[in-house]
């Protein structure tokens, strides 16, 4: 018998797409394991105390010593474990048998091949690995955003225009917004207060975040298409980690921006959306969602585009080009009842 060779592979990590390199460590030498060739070696390997008594004659029934305490039984006697095992197997076999052939045909009619195939797809699509894959791809390609982008481009172009644009949140005058009657602030995450796919606050923004907390107190939250979104953050682990690092509540939600209503946000704050501020870096995502639901919308520049995939950078350029073109043609953003000119609420408005 040839020896069996087992090689221990190191644990692997799954990174969000695109994957550049996968490194495997082959420094460890494989361990050679051989099956024992003799009975004594087999006893030693398995650490079993096999009986060393003399050979028994099993042609006649054996009388078991009532005083023996170990679990050894003679071959003509079934152990309790085997009885339970064979009993369960026999019961399953009987239950799986259909005594009536007509019933079998009815079952096939009730469960056609299409239903079986859909059931198979349902299992595949609900597996944890598929959820992780959707998270990696979905955060780069926003299908809902593409659908709304077509709608905005065709007939609702004003929804993509922010009330005011700034370089970053350090240019926002939180005290003035509070004085105008606003009750809370909703931040996007990626490229608004964190670099893409990071769960920590971008350090230069911390003073502005602290000022925002001083003005609005606990009425600050994050509403993101990554952390807190049920589809991609199914166990809430990203939301919990982000809350721990930035000290701001992350709203859990089911629908990806720009789709969906403001119901979950309004429920969290206890205020109407018209009393809240939406701050984000994407015109066709954050701004469209905010304008559709009555928020005051503030557009920021992205903090870093280095970590963004190529397709996201190109879509962002297209969005900003369209927004600038519509502004130059005289198109105005949707009006807001609490403030007529949002440029008065920022320190350094950014010209679009």
């Amino acid at each position: 018998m040839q020896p069996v060779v087992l090689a221990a592979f190191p644990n692997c990590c799954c990174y969000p797409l695109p994957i550049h390199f996968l490194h495997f460590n082959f420094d460890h030498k494989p361990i050679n394991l051989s099956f024992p060739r003799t009975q004594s070696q087999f006893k030693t390997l398995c650490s079993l105390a096999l009986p060393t008594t003399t050979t028994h004659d099993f042609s006649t029934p054996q009388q078991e010593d009532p005083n023996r305490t170990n679990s050894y039984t003679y071959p003509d006697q079934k152990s309790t474990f085997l009885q339970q095992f064979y009993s369960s197997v026999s019961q399953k076999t009987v239950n799986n048998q259909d005594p009536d052939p007509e019933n079998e045909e009815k079952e096939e009619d009730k469960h056609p091949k299409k239903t079986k195939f859909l059931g198979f797809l349902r299992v595949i699509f609900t597996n944890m690995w598929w959820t992780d894959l959707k998270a990696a791809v979905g955060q780069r390609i926003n299908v809902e955003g593409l659908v709304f982008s077509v709608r905005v481009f065709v007939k609702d172009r004003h929804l993509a225009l922010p009330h005011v644009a700034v370089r970053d949140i350090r240019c926002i005058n939180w005290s003035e917004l509070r004085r105008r009657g606003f009750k809370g602030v909703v931040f996007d995450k990626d490229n608004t207060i964190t670099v893409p796919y990071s769960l920590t606050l971008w350090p230069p923004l911390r003073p502005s975040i602290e000022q925002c907390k001083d003005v609005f107190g606990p009425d600050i939250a994050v509403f993101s298409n990554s952390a807190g979104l049920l589809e991609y953050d199914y166990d809430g682990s990203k939301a919990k980690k982000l809350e721990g690092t930035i000290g701001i509540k992350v709203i859990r939600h089911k629908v990806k921006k720009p789709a969906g209503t403001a119901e979950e946000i309004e429920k969290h704050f206890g205020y109407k959306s018209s009393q809240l501020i939406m701050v984000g870096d994407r015109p066709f995502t954050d701004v469209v969602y905010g304008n559709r639901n009555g928020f005051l919308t503030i557009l920021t520049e992205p903090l870093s585009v280095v970590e963004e995939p190529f397709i996201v950078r190109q879509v962002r350029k297209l969005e900003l080009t369209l927004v600038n073109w519509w502004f130059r043609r005289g198109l105005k953003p949707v009006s807001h009842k609490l403030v007529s000119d949002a440029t008065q609420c920022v320190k350094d408005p950014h010209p679009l």
Side-chain angles (χ1 to χ4, degrees), residues 270-325:
Y271 303 121
K272 294 182 179 180
S273 58
S274 59
Q275 298 174 293
L276 303 174
I277 306 161
M278 172 64 66
V279 183
D281 66 299
R282 297 292 298 274
F284 279 65
T285 303
D286 306 307
V287 174
V288 170
Y289 173 83
N291 287 335
R292 282 183 57 246
N293 292 287
F295 294 83
L296 177 74
T297 54
I298 300 179
L299 179 68
T300 66
E301 290 184 359
L303 298 178
S304 175
V305 296
V306 177
E307 294 84 358
E308 285 187 334
F310 174 78
I311 187 172
V312 175
R313 294 197 298 268
Q314 301 308 310
V315 172
R316 183 189 294 279
K317 290 180 181 179
L318 177 61
E319 291 178 356
L320 292 177
T321 300
L322 291 174
V323 168
N324 281 307
W325 182 49

